C-alpha cells in the first residue's frame, strides 16, 4: 500500500501544527514568531509588485499571504513558487561572495513553503524549502530538499507532545557491546556523557539526568528549523529537522 497521501493544493503550507497540539487561543505560527533573528515590519505586496513577480514567472497560491519588508525589489525574485505564509526581508541589488562563489541577492528557481526569509539572502535552486526561519545574508545554493517537521527535536533526546517514549533518541557510547547509552542534548560536553555512561547502576541518578534533560527543552510542537545569519549551504541533497 502506498504511503503517498493526496491533499488539496490550497492546504500546502498550512496546518503545520495539528489543532490538538495548539494551546488555546494560539495559531500555528505562535512558536515561529518567537524564533525571528530580527524584528522587522512587514507589509502586503503592492499591485505593481505582484505584476512584476508574475511577469518573472513566480506563482503563489495566495499573494495576500506573501509579506515583505520596506526595501523589497520584486525584480530579484524569479521562477519561484510560494505556498503558505511567507515573509521576506529586504532584497537589494547586491551579490554575496564566499570563497569566490558569487551569487546575486534574491530568490531564484526555488519552491518556498511557509518560511521567514531574512534580508539580502541569495537563495538559488532550493527545490523544496519548507518551515525554516532564515537569517540575513544567507547563501543557499543547489539544495534538493530542506524542511522541518512539526515534531522536530533538532538532535535532542526528548519526546514531543503526543509521541510515544519509543521515539526518544539515545546514543550508544563507550563500548561495542552497548548498555551505556545516553540521551544527547544541545550543549552536552564529554563530562556529561561520561557521568551518564559511567554510573549506569545508579538508577536514581539516571532518572534525574533524564528529568533534567526533559525539563530543559520545550515539548510543544511547531518549532521551525533555523539558519543563522551569514551561513552558506551548498550542494546538498536532504537537510531535515536541522538547526544551523
Amino acid at each position: 500500500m502506498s504511503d503517498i497521501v493526496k491533499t488539496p493544493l490550497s492546504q500546502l503550507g498550512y496546518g503545520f501544527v495539528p489543532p490538538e497540539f495548539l494551546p488555546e487561543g494560539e495559531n500555528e505560527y505562535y512558536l515561529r514568531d518567537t524564533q525571528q533573528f530580527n524584528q522587522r515590519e512587514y507589509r502586503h505586496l503592492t499591485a505593481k509588485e505582484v505584476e512584476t513577480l508574475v511577469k518573472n514567472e513566480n506563482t503563489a497560491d495566495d499573494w495576500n499571504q506573501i509579506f515583505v519588508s520596506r526595501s523589497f525589489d520584486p525584480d530579484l525574485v524569479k521562477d519561484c513558487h510560494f505556498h503558505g505564509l511567507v515573509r521576506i526581508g529586504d532584497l537589494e541589488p547586491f551579490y554575496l561572495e564566499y570563497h569566490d562563489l558569487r551569487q546575486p541577492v534574491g530568490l531564484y528557481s526555488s519552491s518556498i513553503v511557509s518560511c521567514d526569509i531574512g534580508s539580502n539572502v541569495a537563495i538559488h535552486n532550493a527545490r523544496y524549502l519548507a518551515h525554516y526561519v532564515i537569517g540575513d545574508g544567507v547563501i543557499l545554493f543547489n539544495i534538493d530538499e530542506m524542511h522541518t517537521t512539526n515534531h522536530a527535536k533538532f538532535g535532542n533526546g526528548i519526546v514531543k507532545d503526543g509521541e510515544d517514549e519509543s521515539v526518544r533518541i539515545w546514543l550508544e557510547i563507550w563500548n561495542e557491546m552497548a548498555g551505556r547509552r545516553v540521551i544527547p542534548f544541545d550543549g552536552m560536553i564529554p563530562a556529561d556523557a561520561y557521568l551518564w555512561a559511567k554510573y549506569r547502576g545508579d538508577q536514581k541518578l539516571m532518572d534525574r539526568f533524564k528529568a533534567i534533560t526533559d525539563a530543559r527543552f520545550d515539548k510543544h510542537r511547531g518549532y521551525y528549523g533555523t539558519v543563522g545569519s551569514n551561513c552558506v549551504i551548498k550542494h546538498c541533497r536532504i537537510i531535515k529537522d536541522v538547526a544551523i
Side-chain angles (χ1 to χ4, degrees):
M1 181 178 178
S2 174
D3 291 330
I4 295 177
V5 177
K6 183 170 66 176
T7 306
L9 181 60
S10 60
Q11 296 183 29
L12 180 58
Y14 302 100
F16 182 60
V17 184
E20 62 269 27
F21 297 116
L22 283 174
E24 185 175 354
E26 299 287 2
N27 61 33
E28 64 172 298
Y29 309 119
Y30 81 104
L31 292 175
R32 168 182 176 177
D33 290 339
T34 69
Q35 294 183 271
Q36 304 304 305
F37 292 105
N38 296 293
Q39 296 301 317
R40 55 172 56 94
E41 293 185 2
Y42 293 100
R43 60 175 176 82
H44 285 285
L45 293 165
T46 65
K48 180 65 175 177
E49 287 170 337
V50 172
E51 180 181 343
T52 300
L53 289 167
V54 171
K55 184 179 70 174
N56 288 342
E57 299 186 346
N58 300 287
T59 65
D61 293 335
D62 185 352
W63 289 113
N64 289 320
Q65 291 298 301
I66 310 302
F67 292 84
V68 298
S69 61
R70 181 175 56 85
S71 298
F72 171 78
D73 185 346
D75 282 318
L76 304 181
V77 182
K78 298 180 180 179
D79 190 27
C80 289
H81 309 284
F82 299 100
H83 304 275
L85 174 64
V86 176
R87 296 181 288 209
I88 305 170
D90 296 344
L91 293 181
E92 301 169 297
F94 300 107
Y95 72 82
L96 305 182
E97 181 174 358
Y98 176 76
H99 289 192
D100 295 324
L101 172 66
R102 298 174 179 177
Q103 291 293 299
V105 161
L107 314 177
Y108 302 92
S109 301
S110 299
S111 293
I112 299 172
V113 179
S114 194
C115 290
D116 290 333
I117 298 172
S119 291
N120 292 320
V121 302
I123 298 180
H124 294 248
N125 304 326
R127 294 171 182 88
Y128 182 73
L129 175 62
H131 304 295
Y132 260 85
V133 176
I134 296 171
D136 300 335
V138 168
I139 297 176
L140 302 182
F141 180 49
N142 285 348
I143 299 173
D144 286 345
E145 177 185 336
M146 182 172 174
H147 71 105
T148 305
T149 61
N150 70 69
H151 51 82
K153 304 163 189 69
F154 307 109
N156 296 303
I158 59 175
V159 177
K160 290 288 187 173
D161 289 341
E163 290 188 318
D164 188 78
E165 178 66 26
S166 62
V167 306
R168 187 186 296 273
I169 298 169
W170 293 81
L171 291 181
E172 292 286 359
I173 63 174
W174 200 291
N175 61 42
E176 296 85 357
M177 300 302 292
R180 298 280 178 177
R181 64 181 188 171
V182 304
I183 296 175
F185 59 86
D186 187 10
M188 174 178 268
I189 62 175
D192 297 320
Y194 173 82
L195 290 173
W196 202 313
K198 174 69 173 178
Y199 299 105
R200 296 298 299 183
D202 189 337
Q203 190 58 50
K204 187 174 182 180
L205 180 63
M206 296 298 101
D207 291 343
R208 184 61 182 145
F209 282 163
K210 183 178 177 182
I212 290 172
T213 303
D214 280 339
R216 181 174 175 179
F217 301 100
D218 190 351
K219 295 184 179 181
H220 288 100
R221 294 176 180 236
Y223 283 98
Y224 278 39
T226 54
V227 179
S229 294
N230 304 312
C231 285
V232 177
I233 307 171
K234 57 182 181 176
H235 304 301
C236 295
R237 293 295 304 278
I238 299 174
I239 301 174
K240 183 176 180 181
D241 291 351
V242 180
I244 300 170

